[in-house]
Amino acid sequence: MTLNTSTPKLCYTAGGMLIHEGKVLLVKHKKLGIWLNPGGHIEEDELPHQAAEREFWEETGVKVCAIDPYNDSLVGKGTDSEFFPNPISTNVHWVNRESYDLRMQAEDSLKRVPTKKWKRGCEQHVGFFYLLASVGSVEFTQNVEETDGIAWFSNEEISTLETTEDIRTEILRGFALKK
């Protein structure tokens, strides 16, 4: 089997959205400078919904569990298998297009010959995003190593939030599904 080296290097991530009393808890990403749902890389031998729960707790100090807005009655049930919560969205987005472009420029007519250095990390993220429910208190603690802020936002505040249109759409979808 030949590896297709012209495809971006993918990393798998998961995030979660906690909506409580009509507001969503978001963090301001330190590197990106925008508001988004807490999340991060899926670790080895970790399921996506487990990563979303873990990342949410690491970034906010709030214990949560992923819920399935489509069919929560199946979660955890089964005879020979177990059903897990479904994400409310799954997407692919660029995190390092420059690295990908440099890697593609390094290709000669016969084989890949590096002409410039490029980062070997993720070029795109495949993200799984879940609706979450709190398990106990919703009192949060900001992770100052990863975030520049943490706050609750109402549905109405999302339209003016400093974020991307994709993230805004995802948050609004979460509000619609939570009703």
Side-chain angles (χ1 to χ4, degrees):
M1 181 172 133
T2 305
L3 179 63
N4 183 353
T5 55
S6 66
T7 59
K9 293 178 184 176
L10 297 175
C11 292
Y12 294 88
T13 63
M17 185 180 317
L18 175 62
I19 299 172
H20 179 75
E21 295 182 356
K23 294 190 174 191
V24 62
L25 185 59
L26 302 175
V27 295
K28 189 163 189 181
H29 194 277
K30 196 167 238 176
K31 291 180 186 175
L32 300 176
I34 60 172
W35 291 94
L36 46 74
N37 295 296
H41 286 87
I42 298 172
E43 295 180 357
E44 187 176 340
D45 297 328
E46 187 175 46
L47 295 168
H49 72 283
Q50 293 169 329
E53 295 164 351
R54 175 185 52 76
E55 287 285 346
F56 198 93
W57 180 80
E58 288 175 1
E59 293 182 25
T60 69
V62 177
K63 289 277 189 186
V64 293
C65 66
I67 59 175
D68 189 331
Y70 308 111
N71 198 349
D72 207 35
S73 64
L74 283 178
V75 174
K77 297 188 173 143
T79 52
D80 294 329
S81 62
E82 187 174 347
F83 292 95
F84 298 115
N86 286 301
I88 63 167
S89 70
T90 304
N91 68 52
V92 176
H93 55 274
W94 286 101
V95 291
N96 195 341
R97 180 68 188 241
E98 181 183 15
S99 178
Y100 173 79
D101 290 341
L102 285 172
R103 198 163 52 82
M104 293 302 100
Q105 289 171 12
E107 186 174 317
D108 69 10
S109 61
L110 299 175
K111 60 182 179 178
R112 295 202 169 281
V113 179
T115 57
K116 295 182 182 179
K117 289 186 178 181
W118 63 83
K119 294 180 181 175
R120 300 212 182 270
C122 308
E123 293 169 347
Q124 286 186 333
H125 281 169
V126 177
F128 302 91
F129 294 94
Y130 293 87
L131 270 183
L132 305 172
S134 62
V135 179
S137 172
V138 294
E139 189 172 321
F140 61 78
T141 306
Q142 180 182 340
N143 179 335
V144 294
E145 291 179 17
E146 295 185 30
T147 66
D148 279 335
I150 184 170
W152 291 99
F153 295 92
S154 69
N155 191 353
E156 295 76 26
E157 294 172 297
I158 301 306
S159 64
T160 59
L161 195 66
E162 185 181 354
T163 193
T164 67
E165 277 309 307
D166 290 346
I167 293 170
R168 190 179 330 280
T169 299
E170 184 177 80
I171 293 168
L172 293 174
R173 177 173 172 77
F175 272 112
L177 287 169
K178 186 67 175 170
K179 290 181 179 182

